[in-house]
Amino acid sequence: MPDVPSARRPAGELEAEVLAALWSARQPMTPQDVQAALGGDLARTTIATILARLFDKGTVERTRAGRAYAYTPTVQDTAGLAARRMHTELGREADRSTVLARFVSDLSAEDEQLLRDLLGDGAPEAGPAGAGTSGAGSSGAGSSGAGSSGADDR
């Protein structure tokens, strides 16, 4: 049956749609509210299941609203969601140092410089010549002042 189209959505697509509805509402929403915000194409039980899974992941919090729960996102946007996922993955390993070292070693020169800037280690300090390339566990992935100002953020 090669001509039968798949009715399944890509993994995480429904969660992303539900989170987008919560972010745009800027107030707690019940599953029924989310269903209406998404156009009513999904069953309320489907929305409730997605919200429960997001709650279990810590991505939303909930409070009682009558018989239902009202949900509020615990992350501000997609960048916050990605950061939470990265933190969760880091927490799964006992040797955090090695995980971080491997992560940093795969960064582009621009991303490495951006990370240094965010950590407050990006600007060359007044001191000995070449002080801008401090050896804070750098991977050699390019600490040569790539000049990224973060303007290429998604």
Side-chain angles (χ1 to χ4, degrees):
M1 292 193 280
D3 294 339
V4 177
S6 174
R8 297 202 50 94
R9 297 176 187 237
E13 183 178 314
L14 287 178
E15 286 184 1
E17 288 180 27
V18 167
L19 280 170
L22 291 171
W23 287 324
S24 66
R26 300 184 189 271
Q27 65 183 11
M29 296 178 78
T30 65
Q32 186 175 358
D33 297 333
V34 174
Q35 181 187 31
L38 295 178
D41 292 338
L42 296 171
R44 188 198 51 77
T45 54
T46 300
I47 303 283
T49 299
I50 293 165
L51 288 165
R53 288 179 181 164
L54 290 170
F55 175 77
D56 290 343
K57 294 177 182 180
T59 307
V60 298
E61 58 189 18
R62 66 185 182 191
T63 55
R64 274 283 183 198
R67 292 174 148 181
Y69 285 107
Y71 294 85
T72 306
T74 59
V75 293
Q76 299 173 357
D77 50 25
T78 56
L81 184 59
R84 167 144 317 150
R85 287 180 182 144
M86 292 166 63
H87 190 267
T88 299
E89 288 300 317
L90 179 62
R92 290 183 179 165
E93 294 294 327
D95 187 358
R96 296 169 70 98
S97 178
T98 299
V99 173
L100 286 170
R102 296 256 165 81
F103 175 76
V104 171
S105 71
D106 289 338
L107 291 176
S108 68
E110 293 81 15
D111 286 344
E112 182 179 347
Q113 185 60 46
L114 178 58
L115 184 58
R116 288 179 181 279
D117 292 345
L118 291 170
L119 293 172
D121 189 31
E125 299 286 328
T133 55
S134 65
S138 174
S139 64
S143 54
S144 63
S148 174
S149 65
D152 191 31
D153 290 350
R154 290 185 183 174

